Amino acid sequence: MWSLILFVAIGLFGSESFVKANCTIEAKGNLKFPKKFNFGVATSAYQIEGGWNADGKGPSIWDEFTHNYPERIIDGSNGDSAAESYRLFELDLQALKQLGAKHYRFSIAWTRIFPTGDVHLKNQKGIDYYNMVINKLRENKIEPMVTMYHWDLPVALQKFGGFANALIIDQFSDYAEELFKLFGDRVKTWITFNEPNNICKAGYGTGYAPPLIQAPGVGDYICFTNLLKAHGTTYRLYQKKFAKKQKGKIGITLDIFYLFSKTNNTDDVNRAMDYNLGLLAYPIFSKSGDFPPIVLKEIEKSSMEEGRAKSRLPSLGEYWTKIIKGSGDFIGINYYTSRYVKPATEPMGENPSMERDINIQMDVDPNWPRAKADWVYCIPQGLESLLKYLRDEYNNVEVKITENGWVDSGELNDDNRIRYFKSHIQAVLNAINDGCNVTSYSAWSLVDNFEWLQGYTEKFGLYSVNMKSTKKGRIPKKSALYYKKVIATRSVPVFEYLY
Ligand code: PNW
């Protein structure tokens, strides 16, 4: 009788698929973060800098897109001025100091330094700007963490084909080499690409983001392949020419929803994770390299059924597999939320498409607490599970959480953001207590900014910015005070103290 009750209880509540729906997570183990763990915040150039054509900056594909198609941005806005960090970096610095941030993850706008993308045509004013940012951060003991590419490709390079052309491998690694030469004496943490999933799926697959190429199931895979080669080439170049002297680390930032199975079917989860994370993580961080075997096999099979002579996603081949395998000192993770997965009953998406290749249905639980954005639900368990997944499947690779955050309408009294940060930071601590090799956490974002297709209607900032005023003062939200306390105590404080 008791064993029956126990059995039922485990069936209902004991499995991993049971996710609490109240944005909380239990604390497990040590209550303090290890000494070497580093807290900071993240931003990206196009979303905060403004000054889109200031001092010789060239146009990027996001400048071009927002100017040509304002109707595709919910509020018709763009990043022409945004939070004006190009003019007002001092305000960001004050906010970073107030928080006590130990590092600042920001991105370099390629076109600010090389207006056409060509590294032989330098814009000194752009170089001066990033030197100023890096130096001021270091003077204040805030470590610069630099993203080389956060979606803003020079228009001039898009004309060559962008990530659809293998030329990008040299174009990007030449750019990276210049960054190492210019800033590598002071920058020790480099991220080549932010979210290849978004760059390639949205830019070259579904085509709803620039460069608006609609080639689902084809263009996205070409983009992934070229991007991985550009990343691997850059890593090898750094090792060969700079690593000994500069002693920095290079990684890549991948975005991933954690995926739960309601029926506790680990095969479903593993397969879905292989498509959503493995497509990029496996070539770089697995022991064998190349794309995940199951992904290669399945896409080849579908490609043959479509009557093609070769797969839409060919293997990287021996030469490139070798260059790309091991080309990361850490994996950057942008984690926002989770989904439930189950195999689709009908073929999904158009033919061909990544959606059709993956053929997995993603659901949410209607009870999960939802943010203003329709894709963000507060599921801290997903972050803990993801970190354990990386520990187990990717040889306990060093993980830096490069983004994590909550979206609302911009209220200063942002209790829900505090709840989100509290539970997710606890999830990270639980994972560390369970042997996961996580070394830093960057909250997204320092300030309210241009949220891509959502314009200024969705806010992720710890600091509010009045986009209409010229002063653009940064006003701390309640969550900024909470995060400051997290950093100061290296723990997960209760947040009632704020009342
Ligand atoms: C990230 N999704 O993008 C980006 O790195 C940031 O620039 C952005 O502001 C932030 O997350 C918040 O959106 C994502 O729909 C955008 O799954 C959308 C998704 C994931 C990540």
Side-chain angles (χ1 to χ4, degrees):
M1 171 67 185
W2 283 112
S3 61
L4 181 70
I5 291 175
L6 193 66
F7 181 75
V8 172
I10 290 173
L12 287 177
F13 305 112
S15 75
E16 237 218 322
S17 66
F18 180 73
V19 177
K20 271 194 197 162
N22 60 0
C23 198
T24 64
I25 192 166
E26 266 166 55
K28 287 176 239 164
N30 215 324
L31 297 175
K32 287 249 177 200
F33 278 85
K35 280 250 156 53
K36 66 174 188 11
F37 191 87
N38 209 322
F39 287 100
V41 289
T43 61
S44 90
Y46 186 71
Q47 295 179 274
I48 64 162
E49 281 181 1
W52 79 277
N53 61 357
D55 297 338
K57 180 183 169 293
S60 80
I61 56 174
W62 270 90
D63 293 315
E64 186 184 52
F65 169 65
T66 53
H67 294 163
N68 289 350
Y69 303 100
E71 72 282 0
R72 298 223 195 163
I73 311 295
I74 268 192
D75 54 1
S77 67
N78 55 48
D80 286 5
S81 19
E84 282 203 73
S85 295
Y86 181 64
R87 185 169 67 87
L88 302 168
F89 173 71
E90 196 56 41
L91 298 183
D92 292 339
L93 185 65
Q94 294 311 323
L96 286 160
K97 283 163 70 175
Q98 193 175 58
L99 286 171
K102 297 288 183 279
H103 69 260
Y104 180 40
R105 174 180 178 237
F106 63 96
S107 82
I108 288 182
W110 194 334
T111 54
R112 211 175 271 298
I113 304 192
F114 306 108
T116 61
D118 179 345
V119 296
H120 297 290
L121 302 170
K122 278 190 191 138
N123 179 33
Q124 189 56 42
K125 287 261 176 69
I127 297 173
D128 294 345
Y129 173 68
Y130 292 113
N131 270 326
M132 182 273 289
V133 169
I134 291 165
N135 292 342
K136 288 213 169 149
L137 289 171
R138 284 167 44 92
E139 277 162 28
N140 287 285
K141 300 210 164 39
I142 301 167
E143 193 216 324
M145 185 187 280
V146 174
T147 310
M148 299 175 176
Y149 184 79
H150 201 121
W151 308 359
D152 44 358
L153 196 76
V155 166
L157 294 188
Q158 192 61 56
K159 291 188 178 154
F160 285 97
F163 290 90
N165 191 329
L167 277 174
I168 194 71
I169 303 166
D170 283 352
Q171 290 164 337
F172 181 81
S173 56
D174 288 352
Y175 160 62
E177 179 164 9
E178 291 303 314
L179 297 187
F180 298 145
K181 281 191 211 154
L182 288 166
F183 310 119
D185 56 335
R186 288 152 293 150
V187 173
K188 304 299 166 192
T189 309
W190 295 99
I191 292 158
T192 53
F193 294 102
N194 178 69
E195 300 192 353
N197 253 332
N198 266 314
I199 298 170
C200 296
K201 282 191 205 166
Y204 296 81
T206 56
Y208 63 76
L212 309 179
I213 292 168
Q214 282 177 353
V218 178
D220 28 27
Y221 294 135
I222 293 173
C223 172
F224 283 133
T225 302
N226 286 328
L227 186 149
L228 281 166
K229 291 176 180 175
H231 167 85
T233 302
T234 300
Y235 185 87
R236 299 297 161 211
L237 176 117
Y238 187 78
Q239 298 314 314
K240 200 169 149 205
K241 293 198 185 171
F242 301 93
K244 234 193 196 152
K245 212 160 162 215
Q246 299 190 350
K247 298 192 177 64
K249 285 190 178 185
I250 303 191
I252 186 168
T253 280
L254 309 180
D255 57 306
I256 176 75
F257 290 0
Y258 189 71
L259 304 169
F260 293 97
S261 158
K262 265 191 184 158
T263 52
N264 230 358
N265 184 335
T266 42
D267 285 351
D268 289 350
V269 171
N270 287 338
R271 190 176 160 277
M273 290 295 281
D274 270 350
Y275 274 92
N276 286 289
L277 175 72
L279 208 52
L280 291 141
Y282 207 85
I284 303 175
F285 298 103
S286 73
K287 288 214 177 80
S288 48
D290 207 351
F291 296 113
I294 188 167
V295 175
L296 281 175
K297 204 174 105 206
E298 289 182 1
I299 299 179
E300 170 154 43
K301 183 165 173 274
S302 313
S303 302
M304 296 306 118
E305 282 164 12
E306 291 153 21
R308 295 168 194 266
K310 65 182 180 82
S311 175
R312 286 182 280 104
L313 182 70
S315 147
L316 289 165
E318 212 179 303
Y319 175 82
W320 283 108
T321 297
K322 221 172 131 209
I323 287 177
I324 296 165
K325 189 172 70 175
S327 67
D329 300 317
F330 63 88
I331 184 169
I333 289 290
N334 290 354
Y335 174 85
Y336 286 91
T337 196
S338 295
R339 292 287 183 270
Y340 279 116
V341 288
K342 61 172 180 218
T345 41
E346 297 281 311
M348 294 182 61
E350 51 187 304
N351 193 17
S353 63
M354 280 191 71
E355 219 188 331
R356 174 78 54 111
D357 290 333
I358 302 171
N359 222 39
I360 278 185
Q361 222 170 297
M362 289 203 191
D363 290 315
V364 298
D365 182 327
N367 294 317
W368 286 353
R370 208 199 94 174
K372 180 162 173 22
D374 57 7
W375 60 277
V376 180
Y377 296 78
C378 181
I379 306 298
Q381 287 79 6
L383 180 53
E384 187 177 331
S385 299
L386 172 63
L387 294 170
K388 290 181 183 164
Y389 178 89
L390 291 167
R391 176 194 66 192
D392 299 341
E393 300 296 319
Y394 288 98
N395 203 22
N396 214 7
V397 54
E398 178 181 346
V399 178
K400 291 183 187 294
I401 297 179
T402 42
E403 285 179 30
N404 176 238
W406 181 255
V407 47
D408 60 18
S409 311
E411 46 272 30
L412 293 179
N413 207 348
D414 55 344
D415 284 355
N416 285 335
R417 177 167 292 105
I418 298 180
R419 247 171 235 123
Y420 182 93
F421 278 137
K422 180 176 188 294
S423 59
H424 284 75
I425 292 168
Q426 182 65 56
V428 177
L429 185 52
N430 288 351
I432 293 174
N433 288 335
D434 216 345
C436 296
N437 186 11
V438 193
T439 58
S440 81
Y441 175 93
S442 306
W444 183 270
S445 181
L446 176 63
V447 289
D448 284 344
N449 55 50
F450 178 76
E451 177 55 19
W452 310 111
L453 299 177
Q454 312 306 321
Y456 297 101
T457 65
E458 293 184 355
K459 318 272 194 186
F460 277 91
L462 288 161
Y463 284 75
S464 171
V465 179
N466 182 349
M467 297 294 169
K468 293 201 180 88
S469 86
T470 48
K471 285 201 183 133
K472 303 260 162 110
R474 276 63 168 146
I475 302 156
K477 300 180 188 174
K478 197 165 152 189
S479 58
L481 305 180
Y482 181 76
Y483 193 46
K484 182 184 161 106
K485 184 100 177 173
V486 170
I487 300 175
T489 60
R490 318 183 60 72
S491 69
V492 192
V494 286
F495 88 88
E496 280 70 20
Y497 82 92
L498 285 167
Y499 292 103

